[in-house]
Amino acid sequence: MNINSFNDISNTVGYSGLTLSLEEIVILRNSLIILQKENHFLNIFLWGKLLGIAKDYYISFGYRNDALHGQTYFYSTDGFVWDLLPKPNMRSRLLTPLCVSRLQGDPALVVDVYEQYANTKPFGTEVFKDHGRYFKELKEEDRLSSLVEMYNEDALIKPRGALFKRADGVVIENKVYEGLSIQDAREIKSYMHWRRPHQRWNTNLLTRYDYNYALDFLDTIDKDIPKTSWTLHIEHGTIAILRSLYWPGMTFYQKINNSEHGSLYIGYGKRNLDIPHMLHNWG
C-alpha cells in the first residue's frame, strides 16, 4: 500500500476486518517518508504486517527506477527503525515451508526446523536426509525473507494498466492510469501478479481482444490454479475488494474509475494448503 493512501485505510483494506491502528498509521507514514528520502526511492509501499509472538514485523519496499525488477525490501519491529531484508537463499527457501512454529519477533533467533518438523509430521526426518546440520537450522530473518518471496509469488498484485513496460524493458508506474471501469473491475483477468511473469509472453495475446504488450506483460490471476483461489467483491459499487484464499489476511482494493489501489497483508505468514479440500466441501 502506498503511503499516500494511509489516511483512507479503514475504507479500503479495512473491509477485510484487519487494519492498522491510528498510532501505527502515523508512525509508519512518517518513518517510511524518511526511509524513502534516505534511499532515494521513486516510490515506497507498506507491504504488510507479519504477526509474531513477542513482536510483529512490519515489511516495506521501494524502488528507484524499475517497479518490477528493482524492489528493495525492509523490515521493522517497531515501525521506526528499518533494516534491510536479505534476499532469500537456497537454505531458507527449502526450510521455510517446513517451519510449523509461529514467528517470534526476534530476527536473530535460530530455530531447529529438523526438530519441529520431525515431531509434527510422519517420517518428517526423511526430508533432511543426507543434508547435514546446514539444512536443519534457520535464522528468523532468513525465514522472513522467504515468507515475503513466497507471498509475492502468489498474492502481490496490480490492476491491469497500473504498470507500463517501456521499449527498453524498464517497468514504471503508469502516470495516466485512470483506474478500472465497473465492468473491468468485476473481471478476475483485470488483475495481474506483480512479479516476474511465469507464462509465455503471448499468453495474453491469445486470450485478450484488446491486447497491449506494454500493459499485458504480466501474468493475470485468472490463470492461477485453482481458479477459485481468489474472491472478488464490489462494495457499494465504488470499490473492488480481492482476497487470496492461499494467504488469509491478504486484501487488495481498487477504487472504481479511480487510479487509487493497493494491498496489505496482515497475518501469521501461513500459507493455506487446504484450498482443494475447502473448495471440494463448498462445491
Side-chain angles (χ1 to χ4, degrees):
M1 171 176 279
N2 190 286
I3 57 175
N4 296 324
S5 303
F6 278 16
N7 293 336
D8 201 30
I9 193 171
S10 61
N11 296 320
T12 53
V13 295
Y15 278 102
S16 66
L18 299 172
T19 186
L20 301 173
S21 68
L22 180 59
E23 180 182 4
E24 287 177 304
I25 291 173
V26 172
I27 292 173
L28 290 169
R29 180 181 175 85
N30 291 336
S31 66
L32 288 176
I33 289 174
I34 295 173
L35 185 66
Q36 180 179 10
K37 291 182 178 180
E38 289 178 342
N39 290 274
H40 308 287
F41 288 144
L42 187 62
N43 209 346
I44 195 166
F45 304 85
L46 178 65
W47 179 94
K49 178 181 177 182
L50 285 163
L51 305 176
I53 294 177
K55 293 182 179 179
D56 300 326
Y57 290 105
Y58 300 100
I59 309 294
S60 67
F61 68 96
Y63 70 90
R64 295 187 179 93
N65 299 305
D66 195 312
L68 180 63
H69 306 100
Q71 298 173 357
T72 303
Y73 281 80
F74 298 84
Y75 71 91
S76 172
T77 56
D78 57 12
F80 288 104
V81 180
W82 293 91
D83 294 306
L84 183 66
L85 188 66
K87 293 185 178 181
N89 53 39
M90 179 179 62
R91 178 174 57 179
S92 64
R93 288 189 177 109
L94 172 69
L95 294 182
T96 295
L98 305 180
C99 289
V100 296
S101 63
R102 281 185 54 187
L103 293 166
Q104 297 293 315
D106 179 5
L109 178 69
V110 176
V111 297
D112 191 329
V113 184
Y114 174 87
E115 181 179 351
Q116 288 186 16
Y117 197 82
N119 290 339
T120 58
K121 302 290 184 181
F123 313 108
T125 55
E126 293 299 316
V127 177
F128 302 91
K129 188 177 181 180
D130 299 328
H131 286 307
R133 294 299 301 176
Y134 178 79
F135 282 105
K136 296 179 182 179
E137 295 180 344
L138 180 63
K139 188 178 178 182
E140 187 157 283
E141 183 183 54
D142 294 327
R143 179 184 176 186
L144 201 64
S145 65
S146 290
L147 281 174
V148 170
E149 181 183 67
M150 289 166 56
Y151 175 93
N152 290 351
E153 285 293 306
D154 294 334
L156 190 64
I157 61 177
K158 276 278 191 180
R160 179 179 185 260
L163 295 178
F164 183 89
K165 189 171 185 178
R166 300 188 326 208
D168 60 359
V170 175
V171 177
I172 61 174
E173 293 187 78
N174 190 353
K175 299 301 182 182
V176 297
Y177 175 65
E178 297 180 347
L180 300 176
S181 66
I182 186 67
Q183 293 81 10
D184 289 335
R186 294 181 186 274
E187 297 286 340
I188 285 289
K189 66 179 181 180
S190 296
Y191 306 93
M192 301 180 165
H193 285 285
W194 191 2
R195 42 95 166 137
R196 296 173 186 267
H198 296 172
Q199 306 288 341
R200 291 175 56 86
W201 69 270
N202 63 347
T203 300
N204 286 329
L205 172 63
L206 300 175
T207 58
R208 298 194 70 100
Y209 72 90
D210 55 348
Y211 174 80
N212 183 334
Y213 180 69
L215 304 178
D216 298 310
F217 58 95
L218 297 174
D219 299 332
T220 55
I221 66 174
D222 67 315
K223 302 294 192 303
D224 290 359
I225 299 174
K227 292 185 177 181
T228 49
S229 60
W230 292 91
T231 64
L232 171 59
H233 302 283
I234 305 296
E235 301 288 348
H236 307 300
T238 60
I239 185 170
I241 302 293
L242 281 92
R243 299 182 183 89
S244 170
L245 297 183
Y246 271 122
W247 291 92
M250 174 274 179
T251 306
F252 171 89
Y253 76 93
Q254 166 68 65
K255 292 189 175 180
I256 307 300
N257 295 317
N258 190 305
S259 62
E260 187 179 341
H261 63 276
S263 66
L264 192 69
Y265 174 74
I266 302 178
Y268 297 102
K270 296 290 186 179
R271 191 179 183 212
N272 178 21
L273 299 179
D274 294 328
I275 290 183
H277 178 69
M278 291 168 54
L279 296 177
H280 174 74
N281 289 341
W282 291 347

